[in-house]
């Protein structure tokens, strides 16, 4: 089932999310709903707070269908960056909670991430390039952080004002 995506500013997008303790069928259904919502958007990642659920759960798939890559949906419970490279990388980031706004953000180029998969198995993997950017962007969501928090205050304020207007216009329509 597709779920509505919250638009910034929303207090739920600023909260620290709670670790998941027991993997239930309810959480697995939530993960499937998030993948459906992400692919439908379309996006390359989605964090639970973006659909108003304050649990530490993210999904992502950065496989480039254009380049003939097979889909690779990843579901991560309690994801953690356990190592990051000194080397940095700049990507033009966007966010489904901040529609049509893009800005360059610098982050570690390579990260090692640990997480629990949908069966509760502990996983660890090294991510590079767009995958590394995306997984860091998603984990930030679990700590109430958006990519615009890396921008200069004036630019952030400009984007936030646009989003306030967008939400007002949507509420009127
Ligand atoms: O779909 C998305 N694209 C994207 C592009 C560059 C860097 C990060 C992202 S994540 C974003 C989906 C989203 O908002 N996830 O939280
Ligand atoms: Ni986002």
């Amino acid at each position: 089932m597709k779920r509505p995506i919250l638009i910034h500013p929303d207090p739920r997008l600023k909260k620290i999310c709670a670790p998941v303790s027991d993997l239930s069928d309810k959480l697995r259904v939530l993960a499937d709903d998030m993948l459906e919502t992400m692919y439908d958007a379309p996006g390359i990642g989605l964090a639970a707070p973006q659909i108003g659920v304050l649990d530490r759960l993210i999904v992502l798939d950065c496989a480039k269908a254009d380049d003939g890559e097979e889909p690779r949906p990843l579901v991560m419970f309690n994801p953690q960056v356990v190592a990051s490279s000194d080397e940095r990388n700049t990507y033009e980031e966007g966010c489904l909670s901040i529609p049509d706004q893009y800005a360059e953000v610098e982050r570690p180029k390579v990260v090692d991430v640990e997480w629990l998969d949908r069966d509760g198995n502990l996983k660890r993997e090294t991510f590079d390039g767009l995958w590394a950017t995306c997984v860091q962007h998603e984990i930030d969501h679990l700590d109430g952080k958006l990519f615009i928090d890396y921008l200069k205050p004036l630019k952030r304020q400009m984007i936030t004002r646009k989003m306030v207007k967008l939400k007002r216009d949507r509420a009127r329509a």
Side-chain angles (χ1 to χ4, degrees):
M1 194 185 71
K2 215 183 106 185
R3 312 265 197 123
I5 298 174
L6 301 181
I7 303 300
H8 165 74
D10 187 297
R12 289 166 287 183
L13 293 172
K14 307 245 67 172
K15 304 272 196 227
I16 307 272
C17 295
V20 171
S21 53
D22 289 298
L23 291 189
S24 59
D25 282 347
K26 196 178 165 206
L27 282 168
R28 280 184 273 268
V29 168
L30 175 63
D32 288 337
D33 284 356
M34 285 172 57
L35 281 168
E36 187 182 341
T37 304
M38 176 189 84
Y39 286 123
D40 180 79
I44 57 172
L46 191 70
Q50 292 182 277
I51 57 164
V53 176
L54 301 183
D55 289 337
R56 300 190 80 83
L57 164 60
I58 65 173
V59 299
L60 64 160
D61 185 349
C62 305
K64 296 186 183 96
D66 297 355
D67 300 355
E69 289 180 25
E70 290 301 316
R72 191 185 180 220
L74 285 181
V75 172
M76 300 183 175
F77 294 96
N78 301 340
Q80 266 188 296
V81 173
V82 291
S84 41
S85 62
D86 291 335
E87 190 184 350
R88 309 224 146 213
N89 200 7
T90 302
Y91 253 105
E92 174 118 301
E93 296 199 18
C95 183
L96 294 172
S97 295
I98 312 173
D100 302 318
Q101 305 299 316
Y102 303 90
E104 291 196 336
V105 177
E106 189 189 288
R107 300 179 187 270
K109 181 178 183 287
V110 185
V111 289
D112 288 356
V113 179
E114 273 189 1
W115 73 94
L116 294 177
D117 72 7
R118 56 189 303 138
D119 303 314
N121 300 311
L122 182 64
K123 301 276 198 177
R124 184 184 176 129
E125 192 172 320
T126 302
F127 294 97
D128 196 347
L130 184 57
W131 284 92
T133 293
C134 184
V135 76
Q136 291 175 82
H137 173 118
E138 302 314 333
I139 293 173
D140 272 355
H141 273 298
L142 305 182
D143 293 317
K145 190 155 187 175
L146 302 172
F147 82 89
I148 56 170
D149 294 328
Y150 293 96
L151 309 180
K152 295 199 181 91
L154 199 64
K155 176 134 199 213
R156 179 164 67 238
Q157 202 174 69
M158 219 174 65
I159 291 176
T160 298
R161 288 196 177 129
K162 280 187 191 163
M163 292 302 105
V164 169
K165 288 204 184 89
L166 174 71
K167 288 177 77 170
R168 198 177 54 211
D169 290 349
R170 283 190 182 181
R172 281 175 173 167

